[in-house]
Amino acid sequence: MSNRAYNFNAGPAALPLEVLEQAQEQFVEYKGSGMSLMEMSHRGAIYEGVHHEAEQLLRELLGIPNNYKVLFIQGGASTQFAMVPMNLLQPGKVASYVSTGSWATKAIQEAKLFGETAIAASSEADKFTRIPSAAELKIAPESAYLHLTSNETIEGTQWAEYPETGSVPLVADMSSDILCRPLNISQFGLIYAGAQKNLGPSGVTIVIIREDLIGTPSLTVPTMLRYSTHAKNDSLYNTPPTFAIYMTNLVLNWVKAQGGAAAIEKINKEKAGLLYAAIDGSDGFYRGVAQEGSRSIMNVTFRLGSEELEKQFAKESEAQGFVGLKGHRSVGGLRASIYNAVPLASVKALVDFMNDFKRRNG
Ligand SMILES: Cc1ncc(COP(=O)(O)O)c(C=O)c1O
């Protein structure tokens, strides 16, 4: 298909072309069943097969140990901002957060609705251009958990290594970088991620939770907002988002066919490396927003000499088939989101455009 855009959208974002074609082929009639998967009961054997395959693939691709549950929940990562404290923050404890940018800030605001919060470290004074170092972290001993945002989608920063938190469970919002690289799941108590960047379409949120944290939240926590409800019922307590889970399953099969998380990481590093090299080698024409050591391999944020030039870059790139390069409205600048499904060829085309744009305007 030659008319596919160079899609750098931040989320919902590019999906693998093979996955879209497979979904198209299976859409009207799923595997000789006489109907679309979207028309089937979520309690039937065919849908349940897809549901369980998606869970098994996630377990396999991320090496999720048996003492963790994998849940499919609705409401986006934004609902997890509330569910985490609702389920994990016991009376007398404090919810600790690392304040790294726009999404961490939202998670903190939400946690404040449910109890006491503490900031273990913050990079706000540096305009969120970096991830705090392990040495900066001050984790209150009475912490119910420590929450971090593994990749700040808007600022373009990413944790290179996750901190050791001892007996305090580590909770991570991995919405914009889950499965971009291999993970040591046992370092975490809970991981959550909206699917719409690296895993599939919007509509489903993945939660990976260590069984001892499922617990029994206070009786006032609504049934649908308890991890225990979803864990006990295999994420089939109510009607799950069958289409989103089906698409996620196709994407997971695609990741496996690429060679899994380690192979994907290698390509992701190559893609990010090309863009950062174009930025760093531009004699200051392009300026990376994130500090070295904190740069994201998923969202590459950069600036030009003036807002006017940035507008011109966005406009001209769009005219040449590049989509989604304008930075988030809250911070401005430019951003290339290069999730797993963004082909290397799209990144190479962008580097060519950047070099050409510099030649004409530098
Ligand atoms: C890191 C991060 N956390 C949370 C969210 C919010 O996710 P949702 O829209 O699924 O609620 C986003 C969305 O872009 C995100 O990038």
Side-chain angles (χ1 to χ4, degrees), residues 313-348:
F313 182 100
K315 202 170 146 206
E316 284 186 27
S317 63
E318 239 174 77
Q320 295 198 29
F322 296 90
V323 174
L325 291 172
K326 231 165 105 183
H328 191 270
R329 60 191 183 282
S330 61
V331 296
L334 296 151
R335 169 177 59 173
S337 296
I338 46 171
Y339 302 121
N340 292 352
V342 173
L344 181 61
S346 293
V347 174
K348 286 184 173 164

Side-chain angles (χ1 to χ4, degrees), residues 78-90:
S78 302
T79 297
Q80 294 310 307
F81 293 165
M83 272 180 80
V84 166
M86 283 173 114
N87 285 268
L88 268 54
L89 180 54
Q90 308 93 347

Side-chain angles (χ1 to χ4, degrees), residues 193-332:
Q196 65 270 23
K197 294 147 198 322
N198 261 349
L199 296 179
S202 59
V204 63
T205 306
I206 310 298
V207 174
I208 301 166
I209 181 170
R210 210 174 63 208
E211 280 171 353
D212 61 287
L213 294 173
I214 293 171
T216 42
S218 115
L219 289 175
T220 56
V221 175
T223 310
M224 278 294 289
L225 299 181
R226 295 164 173 260
Y227 291 120
S228 56
T229 302
H230 301 282
K232 266 190 270 181
N233 293 282
D234 246 352
S235 307
L236 287 161
Y237 170 76
N238 73 323
T239 317
T242 56
F243 182 69
I245 293 170
Y246 158 76
M247 287 294 290
T248 297
N249 186 43
L250 293 185
V251 171
L252 294 171
N253 273 290
W254 175 85
V255 171
K256 188 175 171 178
Q258 306 305 300
I264 286 274
E265 178 186 34
K266 201 162 158 260
I267 307 171
N268 283 336
K269 282 191 168 162
E270 186 182 349
K271 291 188 294 186
L274 286 173
L275 282 176
Y276 286 120
I279 292 166
D280 294 341
S282 70
D283 297 323
F285 183 76
Y286 298 110
R287 277 181 295 112
V289 173
Q291 295 183 28
E292 229 150 304
S294 299
R295 287 173 155 186
S296 169
I297 60 167
M298 295 278 98
N299 309 98
V300 177
T301 46
F302 57 100
R303 309 240 31 168
L304 285 162
S306 69
E307 285 187 20
E308 204 158 293
L309 206 52
E310 288 171 349
K311 270 194 198 130
Q312 193 186 329
F313 182 100
K315 202 170 146 206
E316 284 186 27
S317 63
E318 239 174 77
Q320 295 198 29
F322 296 90
V323 174
L325 291 172
K326 231 165 105 183
H328 191 270
R329 60 191 183 282
S330 61
V331 296

Side-chain angles (χ1 to χ4, degrees), residues 75-78 81 103 149 151 153 173 175-176 194 196-197:
S78 302
F81 293 165
W103 289 112
T149 310
N151 186 78
T153 323
D173 174 0
S175 293
S176 49
Q196 65 270 23
K197 294 147 198 322

